[in-house]
Structure formats: C-alpha cells, structure tokens
Short mmCIF file of all heavy atoms in Angstrom, two decimals:
data_model
loop_
_atom_site.label_atom_id
_atom_site.label_comp_id
_atom_site.label_asym_id
_atom_site.label_seq_id
_atom_site.Cartn_x
_atom_site.Cartn_y
_atom_site.Cartn_z
N MET A 11 90.15 114.42 75.57
CA MET A 11 91.00 113.51 76.32
C MET A 11 91.16 114.07 77.73
O MET A 11 92.03 114.91 77.98
CB MET A 11 92.36 113.38 75.64
CG MET A 11 93.34 112.58 76.45
SD MET A 11 94.94 112.35 75.69
CE MET A 11 95.69 113.94 75.92
N PRO A 12 90.37 113.63 78.69
CA PRO A 12 90.53 114.08 80.07
C PRO A 12 91.84 113.60 80.67
O PRO A 12 92.29 112.48 80.44
CB PRO A 12 89.35 113.46 80.80
CG PRO A 12 88.36 113.12 79.74
CD PRO A 12 89.17 112.81 78.52
N TYR A 13 92.45 114.49 81.45
CA TYR A 13 93.69 114.19 82.16
C TYR A 13 93.48 114.66 83.60
O TYR A 13 93.16 115.82 83.84
CB TYR A 13 94.86 114.94 81.51
CG TYR A 13 96.12 114.95 82.33
CD1 TYR A 13 97.00 113.88 82.27
CD2 TYR A 13 96.43 116.01 83.17
CE1 TYR A 13 98.18 113.89 83.01
CE2 TYR A 13 97.59 116.03 83.91
CZ TYR A 13 98.46 114.97 83.83
OH TYR A 13 99.61 114.97 84.56
N VAL A 14 93.66 113.75 84.54
CA VAL A 14 93.51 114.08 85.95
C VAL A 14 94.81 113.72 86.67
O VAL A 14 95.30 112.61 86.53
CB VAL A 14 92.33 113.30 86.59
CG1 VAL A 14 92.23 113.59 88.08
CG2 VAL A 14 91.03 113.63 85.88
N LYS A 15 95.32 114.68 87.43
CA LYS A 15 96.54 114.44 88.21
C LYS A 15 96.19 114.50 89.68
O LYS A 15 95.61 115.48 90.15
CB LYS A 15 97.60 115.48 87.88
CG LYS A 15 98.90 115.27 88.63
CD LYS A 15 99.92 116.31 88.21
CE LYS A 15 101.24 116.11 88.92
NZ LYS A 15 102.21 117.15 88.53
N ILE A 16 96.55 113.45 90.40
CA ILE A 16 96.32 113.37 91.84
C ILE A 16 97.68 113.44 92.51
O ILE A 16 98.57 112.63 92.21
CB ILE A 16 95.63 112.05 92.21
CG1 ILE A 16 94.31 111.90 91.48
CG2 ILE A 16 95.44 111.94 93.72
CD1 ILE A 16 93.71 110.51 91.56
N GLU A 17 97.85 114.38 93.41
CA GLU A 17 99.10 114.48 94.16
C GLU A 17 98.81 114.10 95.60
O GLU A 17 97.89 114.63 96.23
CB GLU A 17 99.66 115.90 94.08
CG GLU A 17 100.11 116.27 92.68
CD GLU A 17 100.71 117.65 92.58
OE1 GLU A 17 100.36 118.52 93.41
OE2 GLU A 17 101.52 117.86 91.68
N LEU A 18 99.58 113.16 96.11
CA LEU A 18 99.44 112.65 97.46
C LEU A 18 100.78 112.67 98.16
O LEU A 18 101.81 112.54 97.51
CB LEU A 18 98.97 111.18 97.45
CG LEU A 18 97.68 110.84 96.73
CD1 LEU A 18 97.57 109.34 96.57
CD2 LEU A 18 96.51 111.36 97.53
N THR A 19 100.74 112.80 99.48
CA THR A 19 101.99 112.62 100.21
C THR A 19 102.33 111.13 100.21
O THR A 19 101.44 110.27 100.20
CB THR A 19 101.88 113.14 101.65
OG1 THR A 19 100.75 112.56 102.28
CG2 THR A 19 101.78 114.65 101.68
N ARG A 20 103.61 110.85 100.19
CA ARG A 20 104.09 109.46 100.16
C ARG A 20 103.97 108.87 101.56
O ARG A 20 104.85 109.02 102.39
CB ARG A 20 105.54 109.44 99.68
CG ARG A 20 106.06 108.03 99.47
CD ARG A 20 107.41 108.04 98.75
NE ARG A 20 107.17 108.26 97.33
CZ ARG A 20 107.83 109.14 96.58
NH1 ARG A 20 108.78 109.89 97.09
NH2 ARG A 20 107.56 109.29 95.30
N GLU A 21 102.81 108.23 101.80
CA GLU A 21 102.54 107.68 103.13
C GLU A 21 101.89 106.31 103.05
O GLU A 21 100.96 106.02 103.79
CB GLU A 21 101.65 108.65 103.93
CG GLU A 21 102.33 109.96 104.22
CD GLU A 21 101.50 110.88 105.09
OE1 GLU A 21 101.61 110.77 106.33
OE2 GLU A 21 100.74 111.68 104.53
N GLY A 22 102.34 105.50 102.15
CA GLY A 22 101.89 104.12 102.13
C GLY A 22 100.58 103.84 101.43
O GLY A 22 99.88 102.91 101.80
N VAL A 23 100.24 104.64 100.43
CA VAL A 23 99.05 104.33 99.64
C VAL A 23 99.35 103.05 98.87
O VAL A 23 100.37 102.94 98.20
CB VAL A 23 98.70 105.48 98.68
CG1 VAL A 23 97.50 105.12 97.82
CG2 VAL A 23 98.44 106.76 99.45
N THR A 24 98.46 102.09 98.99
CA THR A 24 98.71 100.78 98.39
C THR A 24 98.39 100.78 96.89
O THR A 24 97.67 101.65 96.39
CB THR A 24 97.87 99.68 99.05
OG1 THR A 24 96.48 99.92 98.76
CG2 THR A 24 98.09 99.65 100.56
N ARG A 25 98.88 99.78 96.23
CA ARG A 25 98.60 99.59 94.81
C ARG A 25 97.09 99.45 94.59
O ARG A 25 96.53 100.00 93.64
CB ARG A 25 99.34 98.34 94.32
CG ARG A 25 99.19 98.07 92.87
CD ARG A 25 99.99 96.85 92.49
NE ARG A 25 100.05 96.73 91.04
CZ ARG A 25 100.77 95.84 90.41
NH1 ARG A 25 101.52 95.00 91.08
NH2 ARG A 25 100.76 95.79 89.10
N GLU A 26 96.44 98.72 95.49
CA GLU A 26 95.00 98.51 95.39
C GLU A 26 94.23 99.82 95.56
O GLU A 26 93.24 100.07 94.86
CB GLU A 26 94.54 97.48 96.43
CG GLU A 26 95.05 96.08 96.17
CD GLU A 26 96.51 95.84 96.56
OE1 GLU A 26 97.10 96.66 97.32
OE2 GLU A 26 97.09 94.85 96.06
N GLN A 27 94.67 100.67 96.49
CA GLN A 27 94.02 101.96 96.68
C GLN A 27 94.19 102.85 95.45
O GLN A 27 93.25 103.54 95.03
CB GLN A 27 94.58 102.67 97.92
CG GLN A 27 94.17 102.03 99.22
CD GLN A 27 94.92 102.60 100.41
OE1 GLN A 27 96.12 102.85 100.35
NE2 GLN A 27 94.19 102.83 101.50
N LYS A 28 95.37 102.82 94.87
CA LYS A 28 95.61 103.60 93.65
C LYS A 28 94.72 103.11 92.52
O LYS A 28 94.15 103.92 91.77
CB LYS A 28 97.09 103.53 93.25
CG LYS A 28 98.00 104.25 94.21
CD LYS A 28 99.45 104.06 93.81
CE LYS A 28 100.37 104.65 94.85
NZ LYS A 28 101.78 104.43 94.53
N GLN A 29 94.59 101.80 92.39
CA GLN A 29 93.73 101.24 91.35
C GLN A 29 92.29 101.67 91.56
O GLN A 29 91.58 102.00 90.61
CB GLN A 29 93.82 99.71 91.32
CG GLN A 29 92.89 99.07 90.31
CD GLN A 29 93.09 99.58 88.89
OE1 GLN A 29 94.21 99.64 88.40
NE2 GLN A 29 92.01 99.97 88.23
N GLU A 30 91.84 101.70 92.81
CA GLU A 30 90.47 102.13 93.12
C GLU A 30 90.26 103.60 92.75
O GLU A 30 89.21 103.98 92.22
CB GLU A 30 90.17 101.90 94.59
CG GLU A 30 88.71 102.03 94.94
CD GLU A 30 88.39 101.58 96.35
OE1 GLU A 30 89.16 100.80 96.93
OE2 GLU A 30 87.35 102.03 96.86
N LEU A 31 91.26 104.45 93.03
CA LEU A 31 91.18 105.85 92.62
C LEU A 31 91.10 105.99 91.10
O LEU A 31 90.25 106.72 90.57
CB LEU A 31 92.40 106.63 93.13
CG LEU A 31 92.42 107.02 94.60
CD1 LEU A 31 93.79 107.60 94.96
CD2 LEU A 31 91.33 108.02 94.89
N ILE A 32 91.97 105.29 90.40
CA ILE A 32 92.01 105.35 88.94
C ILE A 32 90.68 104.89 88.35
O ILE A 32 90.10 105.56 87.50
CB ILE A 32 93.19 104.52 88.39
CG1 ILE A 32 94.52 105.19 88.76
CG2 ILE A 32 93.06 104.33 86.88
CD1 ILE A 32 95.74 104.33 88.54
N SER A 33 90.18 103.78 88.84
CA SER A 33 88.92 103.24 88.35
C SER A 33 87.74 104.17 88.66
O SER A 33 86.91 104.47 87.80
CB SER A 33 88.69 101.86 88.95
OG SER A 33 87.45 101.34 88.55
N GLY A 34 87.68 104.63 89.91
CA GLY A 34 86.58 105.47 90.33
C GLY A 34 86.52 106.80 89.60
O GLY A 34 85.45 107.25 89.19
N ILE A 35 87.67 107.42 89.43
CA ILE A 35 87.72 108.71 88.74
C ILE A 35 87.40 108.54 87.26
O ILE A 35 86.67 109.34 86.67
CB ILE A 35 89.07 109.41 88.97
CG1 ILE A 35 89.18 109.83 90.44
CG2 ILE A 35 89.24 110.60 88.03
CD1 ILE A 35 90.56 110.24 90.86
N THR A 36 87.92 107.48 86.66
CA THR A 36 87.60 107.20 85.26
C THR A 36 86.11 107.00 85.08
O THR A 36 85.49 107.56 84.17
CB THR A 36 88.38 105.97 84.76
OG1 THR A 36 89.78 106.23 84.88
CG2 THR A 36 88.03 105.65 83.31
N ASN A 37 85.50 106.22 85.97
CA ASN A 37 84.05 105.98 85.90
C ASN A 37 83.26 107.28 86.08
O ASN A 37 82.27 107.51 85.38
CB ASN A 37 83.62 104.94 86.93
CG ASN A 37 84.10 103.56 86.60
OD1 ASN A 37 84.40 103.24 85.45
ND2 ASN A 37 84.21 102.71 87.62
N LEU A 38 83.67 108.12 87.01
CA LEU A 38 82.99 109.38 87.25
C LEU A 38 83.04 110.29 86.02
O LEU A 38 82.03 110.88 85.61
CB LEU A 38 83.60 110.08 88.46
CG LEU A 38 82.96 111.40 88.87
CD1 LEU A 38 81.53 111.17 89.34
CD2 LEU A 38 83.78 112.05 89.97
N ILE A 39 84.21 110.39 85.41
CA ILE A 39 84.36 111.21 84.21
C ILE A 39 83.51 110.65 83.07
O ILE A 39 82.89 111.40 82.31
CB ILE A 39 85.85 111.33 83.82
CG1 ILE A 39 86.56 112.22 84.84
CG2 ILE A 39 86.01 111.88 82.41
CD1 ILE A 39 88.05 112.27 84.69
N THR A 40 83.46 109.33 82.96
CA THR A 40 82.64 108.69 81.93
C THR A 40 81.17 109.00 82.15
O THR A 40 80.45 109.37 81.21
CB THR A 40 82.88 107.17 81.94
OG1 THR A 40 84.26 106.92 81.67
CG2 THR A 40 82.03 106.48 80.89
N GLU A 41 80.70 108.87 83.40
CA GLU A 41 79.28 109.09 83.70
C GLU A 41 78.89 110.56 83.61
O GLU A 41 77.86 110.90 83.03
CB GLU A 41 78.98 108.57 85.10
CG GLU A 41 79.06 107.06 85.23
CD GLU A 41 78.97 106.58 86.67
OE1 GLU A 41 78.57 107.38 87.55
OE2 GLU A 41 79.33 105.42 86.92
N VAL A 42 79.68 111.44 84.18
CA VAL A 42 79.30 112.86 84.27
C VAL A 42 79.55 113.60 82.95
O VAL A 42 78.72 114.39 82.51
CB VAL A 42 80.05 113.55 85.43
CG1 VAL A 42 79.80 115.05 85.43
CG2 VAL A 42 79.63 112.94 86.76
N LEU A 43 80.70 113.34 82.33
CA LEU A 43 81.08 114.08 81.13
C LEU A 43 80.89 113.29 79.84
O LEU A 43 81.17 113.81 78.75
CB LEU A 43 82.55 114.54 81.24
CG LEU A 43 82.88 115.44 82.42
CD1 LEU A 43 84.38 115.76 82.43
CD2 LEU A 43 82.06 116.71 82.38
N ASN A 44 80.46 112.04 79.97
CA ASN A 44 80.25 111.17 78.80
C ASN A 44 81.52 111.01 77.96
O ASN A 44 81.48 111.03 76.74
CB ASN A 44 79.09 111.69 77.95
CG ASN A 44 78.59 110.63 76.98
OD1 ASN A 44 78.61 109.44 77.29
ND2 ASN A 44 78.14 111.06 75.81
N LYS A 45 82.66 110.89 78.65
CA LYS A 45 83.94 110.74 77.96
C LYS A 45 84.31 109.26 77.83
O LYS A 45 83.99 108.44 78.69
CB LYS A 45 85.06 111.48 78.71
CG LYS A 45 84.84 112.98 78.79
CD LYS A 45 84.91 113.61 77.42
CE LYS A 45 84.78 115.11 77.51
NZ LYS A 45 84.83 115.76 76.21
N ASP A 46 85.01 108.95 76.77
CA ASP A 46 85.47 107.59 76.51
C ASP A 46 86.54 107.23 77.55
O ASP A 46 87.57 107.91 77.64
CB ASP A 46 86.05 107.52 75.10
CG ASP A 46 86.50 106.13 74.69
OD1 ASP A 46 86.63 105.23 75.56
OD2 ASP A 46 86.74 105.93 73.49
N PRO A 47 86.33 106.16 78.33
CA PRO A 47 87.33 105.78 79.34
C PRO A 47 88.68 105.41 78.73
O PRO A 47 89.71 105.52 79.39
CB PRO A 47 86.69 104.60 80.06
CG PRO A 47 85.63 104.11 79.16
CD PRO A 47 85.18 105.26 78.32
N HIS A 48 88.68 105.01 77.45
CA HIS A 48 89.94 104.66 76.79
C HIS A 48 90.78 105.89 76.45
O HIS A 48 91.93 105.77 76.06
CB HIS A 48 89.67 103.84 75.52
CG HIS A 48 89.06 102.51 75.84
ND1 HIS A 48 87.70 102.29 75.72
CD2 HIS A 48 89.59 101.36 76.29
CE1 HIS A 48 87.43 101.05 76.07
NE2 HIS A 48 88.56 100.46 76.43
N LEU A 49 90.18 107.06 76.58
CA LEU A 49 90.90 108.30 76.31
C LEU A 49 91.13 109.12 77.58
O LEU A 49 91.60 110.24 77.52
CB LEU A 49 90.12 109.14 75.29
CG LEU A 49 89.90 108.49 73.92
CD1 LEU A 49 89.04 109.39 73.05
CD2 LEU A 49 91.22 108.17 73.24
N THR A 50 90.79 108.53 78.73
CA THR A 50 90.94 109.21 80.01
C THR A 50 92.25 108.79 80.68
O THR A 50 92.53 107.60 80.79
CB THR A 50 89.74 108.89 80.92
OG1 THR A 50 88.56 109.33 80.27
CG2 THR A 50 89.86 109.55 82.27
N HIS A 51 93.01 109.77 81.10
CA HIS A 51 94.31 109.50 81.72
C HIS A 51 94.30 109.99 83.16
O HIS A 51 93.92 111.13 83.44
CB HIS A 51 95.43 110.22 80.95
CG HIS A 51 95.52 109.78 79.54
ND1 HIS A 51 96.38 108.81 79.12
CD2 HIS A 51 94.82 110.17 78.44
CE1 HIS A 51 96.24 108.61 77.83
NE2 HIS A 51 95.28 109.42 77.39
N ILE A 52 94.72 109.13 84.07
CA ILE A 52 94.83 109.46 85.49
C ILE A 52 96.28 109.26 85.90
O ILE A 52 96.86 108.20 85.66
CB ILE A 52 93.93 108.55 86.37
CG1 ILE A 52 92.51 108.44 85.82
CG2 ILE A 52 93.97 109.01 87.82
CD1 ILE A 52 91.71 109.70 85.82
N VAL A 53 96.86 110.28 86.53
CA VAL A 53 98.25 110.19 87.00
C VAL A 53 98.25 110.41 88.51
O VAL A 53 97.63 111.35 89.01
CB VAL A 53 99.13 111.27 86.32
CG1 VAL A 53 100.52 111.28 86.92
CG2 VAL A 53 99.18 111.04 84.83
N ILE A 54 98.92 109.52 89.22
CA ILE A 54 99.08 109.67 90.67
C ILE A 54 100.55 109.95 90.94
O ILE A 54 101.42 109.16 90.56
CB ILE A 54 98.62 108.40 91.42
CG1 ILE A 54 97.13 108.17 91.17
CG2 ILE A 54 98.92 108.54 92.92
CD1 ILE A 54 96.61 106.86 91.73
N GLN A 55 100.79 111.07 91.58
CA GLN A 55 102.16 111.45 91.92
C GLN A 55 102.28 111.50 93.44
O GLN A 55 101.51 112.19 94.11
CB GLN A 55 102.51 112.81 91.33
CG GLN A 55 103.92 113.24 91.64
CD GLN A 55 104.27 114.56 90.99
OE1 GLN A 55 103.43 115.24 90.42
NE2 GLN A 55 105.54 114.93 91.07
N GLU A 56 103.23 110.74 93.96
CA GLU A 56 103.49 110.76 95.40
C GLU A 56 104.63 111.71 95.70
O GLU A 56 105.65 111.72 95.01
CB GLU A 56 103.83 109.35 95.89
CG GLU A 56 102.64 108.41 95.80
CD GLU A 56 102.98 107.05 96.35
OE1 GLU A 56 103.67 106.30 95.65
OE2 GLU A 56 102.55 106.76 97.48
N ILE A 57 104.45 112.53 96.73
CA ILE A 57 105.42 113.55 97.08
C ILE A 57 105.95 113.28 98.48
O ILE A 57 105.18 112.99 99.40
CB ILE A 57 104.77 114.94 96.99
CG1 ILE A 57 104.27 115.16 95.55
CG2 ILE A 57 105.73 116.03 97.44
CD1 ILE A 57 103.48 116.40 95.34
N ASP A 58 107.27 113.35 98.62
CA ASP A 58 107.89 113.15 99.94
C ASP A 58 107.35 114.15 100.95
O ASP A 58 107.06 115.31 100.61
CB ASP A 58 109.40 113.29 99.85
CG ASP A 58 110.06 112.15 99.10
OD1 ASP A 58 109.53 111.02 99.14
OD2 ASP A 58 111.09 112.40 98.45
N LEU A 59 107.23 113.72 102.19
CA LEU A 59 106.68 114.57 103.24
C LEU A 59 107.49 115.84 103.45
O LEU A 59 106.95 116.88 103.80
CB LEU A 59 106.57 113.79 104.55
CG LEU A 59 105.66 112.57 104.55
CD1 LEU A 59 105.67 111.90 105.91
CD2 LEU A 59 104.26 112.94 104.14
N ASP A 60 108.80 115.77 103.23
CA ASP A 60 109.64 116.96 103.36
C ASP A 60 109.37 117.99 102.26
O ASP A 60 109.70 119.15 102.40
CB ASP A 60 111.12 116.59 103.31
CG ASP A 60 111.62 115.95 104.60
OD1 ASP A 60 110.94 116.07 105.63
OD2 ASP A 60 112.70 115.33 104.56
N ASP A 61 108.77 117.52 101.16
CA ASP A 61 108.54 118.38 100.00
C ASP A 61 107.12 118.94 99.93
O ASP A 61 106.73 119.54 98.93
CB ASP A 61 108.85 117.61 98.70
CG ASP A 61 110.31 117.21 98.63
OD1 ASP A 61 111.16 117.92 99.20
OD2 ASP A 61 110.60 116.17 98.01
N TRP A 62 106.33 118.72 100.96
CA TRP A 62 104.96 119.20 100.99
C TRP A 62 104.80 120.04 102.25
O TRP A 62 105.13 119.59 103.34
CB TRP A 62 103.99 118.02 101.03
CG TRP A 62 102.56 118.38 100.73
CD1 TRP A 62 101.76 119.23 101.42
CD2 TRP A 62 101.74 117.85 99.69
NE1 TRP A 62 100.50 119.28 100.88
CE2 TRP A 62 100.47 118.44 99.80
CE3 TRP A 62 101.97 116.94 98.67
CZ2 TRP A 62 99.42 118.14 98.94
CZ3 TRP A 62 100.93 116.64 97.81
CH2 TRP A 62 99.67 117.25 97.94
N GLY A 63 104.29 121.24 102.08
CA GLY A 63 104.11 122.11 103.23
C GLY A 63 102.66 122.51 103.41
O GLY A 63 101.89 122.57 102.45
N TYR A 64 102.30 122.78 104.65
CA TYR A 64 100.95 123.22 104.99
C TYR A 64 101.05 124.11 106.22
O TYR A 64 101.72 123.74 107.20
CB TYR A 64 100.04 122.01 105.26
CG TYR A 64 98.69 122.40 105.77
CD1 TYR A 64 97.73 122.95 104.93
CD2 TYR A 64 98.37 122.26 107.11
CE1 TYR A 64 96.49 123.33 105.40
CE2 TYR A 64 97.14 122.64 107.61
CZ TYR A 64 96.20 123.18 106.74
OH TYR A 64 94.97 123.57 107.22
N ALA A 65 100.41 125.25 106.18
CA ALA A 65 100.37 126.18 107.31
C ALA A 65 101.78 126.55 107.79
O ALA A 65 102.04 126.69 108.98
CB ALA A 65 99.55 125.60 108.46
N GLY A 66 102.70 126.67 106.84
CA GLY A 66 104.05 127.10 107.16
C GLY A 66 104.98 126.02 107.67
O GLY A 66 106.10 126.31 108.10
N GLU A 67 104.54 124.76 107.64
CA GLU A 67 105.36 123.64 108.15
C GLU A 67 105.47 122.55 107.10
O GLU A 67 104.55 122.35 106.30
CB GLU A 67 104.70 123.02 109.38
CG GLU A 67 104.59 123.92 110.57
CD GLU A 67 105.71 123.71 111.58
OE1 GLU A 67 106.72 123.07 111.26
OE2 GLU A 67 105.54 124.21 112.70
N GLN A 68 106.58 121.84 107.12
CA GLN A 68 106.69 120.64 106.30
C GLN A 68 105.75 119.59 106.88
O GLN A 68 105.60 119.48 108.11
CB GLN A 68 108.12 120.09 106.31
CG GLN A 68 109.11 120.95 105.56
CD GLN A 68 110.51 120.44 105.77
OE1 GLN A 68 111.00 120.46 106.89
NE2 GLN A 68 111.13 119.97 104.69
N VAL A 69 105.15 118.81 106.01
CA VAL A 69 104.25 117.76 106.49
C VAL A 69 105.01 116.75 107.36
O VAL A 69 104.46 116.23 108.32
CB VAL A 69 103.52 117.07 105.31
CG1 VAL A 69 102.73 115.86 105.79
CG2 VAL A 69 102.60 118.07 104.63
N SER A 70 106.28 116.52 107.07
CA SER A 70 107.07 115.60 107.91
C SER A 70 107.11 116.10 109.35
O SER A 70 106.98 115.30 110.30
CB SER A 70 108.48 115.45 107.36
OG SER A 70 109.11 116.71 107.23
N VAL A 71 107.23 117.40 109.54
CA VAL A 71 107.25 117.98 110.89
C VAL A 71 105.87 117.86 111.52
O VAL A 71 105.74 117.53 112.71
CB VAL A 71 107.73 119.45 110.84
CG1 VAL A 71 107.60 120.12 112.20
CG2 VAL A 71 109.17 119.53 110.33
N LEU A 72 104.82 118.13 110.75
CA LEU A 72 103.45 118.00 111.27
C LEU A 72 103.18 116.57 111.72
O LEU A 72 102.57 116.35 112.78
CB LEU A 72 102.44 118.43 110.21
CG LEU A 72 102.49 119.92 109.83
CD1 LEU A 72 101.58 120.18 108.63
CD2 LEU A 72 102.10 120.79 111.00
N ARG A 73 103.63 115.60 110.94
CA ARG A 73 103.43 114.19 111.33
C ARG A 73 104.17 113.88 112.63
O ARG A 73 103.66 113.14 113.48
CB ARG A 73 103.90 113.24 110.22
CG ARG A 73 103.10 113.33 108.93
CD ARG A 73 101.63 112.98 109.13
NE ARG A 73 100.92 113.00 107.88
CZ ARG A 73 100.20 114.03 107.43
NH1 ARG A 73 100.10 115.13 108.15
NH2 ARG A 73 99.59 113.96 106.28
N GLU A 74 105.37 114.42 112.78
CA GLU A 74 106.12 114.22 114.02
C GLU A 74 105.37 114.80 115.22
O GLU A 74 105.50 114.29 116.32
CB GLU A 74 107.51 114.88 113.91
CG GLU A 74 108.44 114.16 112.96
CD GLU A 74 109.71 114.95 112.64
OE1 GLU A 74 109.90 116.05 113.21
OE2 GLU A 74 110.50 114.46 111.83
N LYS A 75 104.58 115.84 114.99
CA LYS A 75 103.77 116.44 116.04
C LYS A 75 102.46 115.70 116.24
O LYS A 75 101.65 116.09 117.09
CB LYS A 75 103.49 117.91 115.70
CG LYS A 75 104.69 118.80 115.71
CD LYS A 75 104.30 120.22 115.33
CE LYS A 75 105.52 121.14 115.33
NZ LYS A 75 105.14 122.53 114.95
N GLY A 76 102.23 114.66 115.44
CA GLY A 76 101.01 113.87 115.58
C GLY A 76 99.85 114.38 114.76
O GLY A 76 98.73 113.89 114.91
N ILE A 77 100.07 115.36 113.90
CA ILE A 77 99.01 115.91 113.07
C ILE A 77 98.95 115.10 111.77
O ILE A 77 99.92 115.01 111.04
CB ILE A 77 99.26 117.40 112.78
CG1 ILE A 77 99.31 118.18 114.09
CG2 ILE A 77 98.20 117.96 111.83
CD1 ILE A 77 99.82 119.59 113.95
N THR A 78 97.80 114.51 111.51
CA THR A 78 97.64 113.67 110.32
C THR A 78 96.44 114.13 109.50
O THR A 78 95.64 114.94 109.94
CB THR A 78 97.42 112.19 110.71
OG1 THR A 78 96.14 112.06 111.33
CG2 THR A 78 98.50 111.70 111.65
N ALA A 79 96.34 113.56 108.32
CA ALA A 79 95.21 113.86 107.43
C ALA A 79 94.15 112.76 107.51
O ALA A 79 93.24 112.76 106.70
CB ALA A 79 95.72 114.01 105.99
N ASP A 80 94.30 111.85 108.45
CA ASP A 80 93.36 110.75 108.56
C ASP A 80 91.96 111.27 108.93
O ASP A 80 91.82 112.20 109.74
CB ASP A 80 93.81 109.74 109.62
CG ASP A 80 95.08 109.02 109.22
OD1 ASP A 80 95.35 108.93 108.01
OD2 ASP A 80 95.79 108.55 110.11
N LYS A 81 90.98 110.65 108.35
CA LYS A 81 89.59 110.98 108.65
C LYS A 81 89.30 110.61 110.09
O LYS A 81 89.63 109.53 110.56
CB LYS A 81 88.68 110.20 107.69
CG LYS A 81 87.24 110.53 107.76
CD LYS A 81 86.52 109.73 106.68
CE LYS A 81 85.04 109.85 106.81
NZ LYS A 81 84.36 109.03 105.81
N LYS A 82 88.68 111.49 110.82
CA LYS A 82 88.40 111.25 112.24
C LYS A 82 87.02 110.67 112.41
O LYS A 82 86.12 110.88 111.72
CB LYS A 82 88.50 112.56 113.03
CG LYS A 82 89.87 113.19 112.94
CD LYS A 82 90.90 112.35 113.62
CE LYS A 82 92.26 113.03 113.50
NZ LYS A 82 93.36 112.26 113.71
#
C-alpha cells in the first residue's frame, strides 16, 4: 500500500492542481512499481507560510522580500 505525502506552502494551489498531482503520482506509482492504484494513498498537506522556514527565514518573510518558488 503506497503512501505519498506532499507538503506545500499554502499559496493558492487549486483543487484542479491537487487533483492533477494525485492522479499523476498515482499513475507513476502504478507504472513504475506496478502497484494497484486502488491501494495507493496520496495526502496533500498545506502549511502556513509562517510555519515553513528556509535559509533561516520564514517563507512569509521571504515572500515579502519578493522571493518566490515560482519557476523562472
């Protein structure tokens, strides 16, 4: 029974994006590991920006400085 946990900062990930992640990861596990998709569990946990730190700073502070995780 595969279990995958995805932790993201709470920054407006849409329901559709979450569904795409769940579907894509389930399909990948099915194809690569030959696991039954009905036994595969995907959990998405969103974390407040104040509760996530990187390089000694809260992500909320980094965002205020204009530093984002967006693909360039």
Side-chain angles (χ1 to χ4, degrees):
M11 173 179 76
Y13 168 84
V14 177
K15 181 177 181 182
I16 302 168
E17 293 182 334
L18 303 167
T19 53
R20 187 170 282 132
E21 295 184 88
V23 177
T24 67
R25 183 178 190 174
E26 292 77 17
Q27 289 171 319
K28 291 176 186 177
Q29 177 56 49
E30 193 171 337
L31 283 172
I32 291 167
S33 177
I35 291 167
T36 300
N37 290 338
L38 182 64
I39 288 172
T40 300
E41 292 171 15
V42 173
L43 300 178
N44 196 33
K45 297 294 183 181
D46 183 346
H48 295 100
L49 299 176
T50 300
H51 299 265
I52 312 295
V53 174
I54 298 173
Q55 180 178 8
E56 292 183 284
I57 300 174
D58 290 330
L59 298 179
D60 285 343
D61 297 331
W62 194 299
Y64 173 74
E67 296 262 15
Q68 289 173 296
V69 172
S70 56
V71 173
L72 294 171
R73 295 299 184 263
E74 289 169 3
K75 293 179 180 180
I77 300 168
T78 69
D80 293 336
K81 186 177 172 182
K82 300 293 180 198

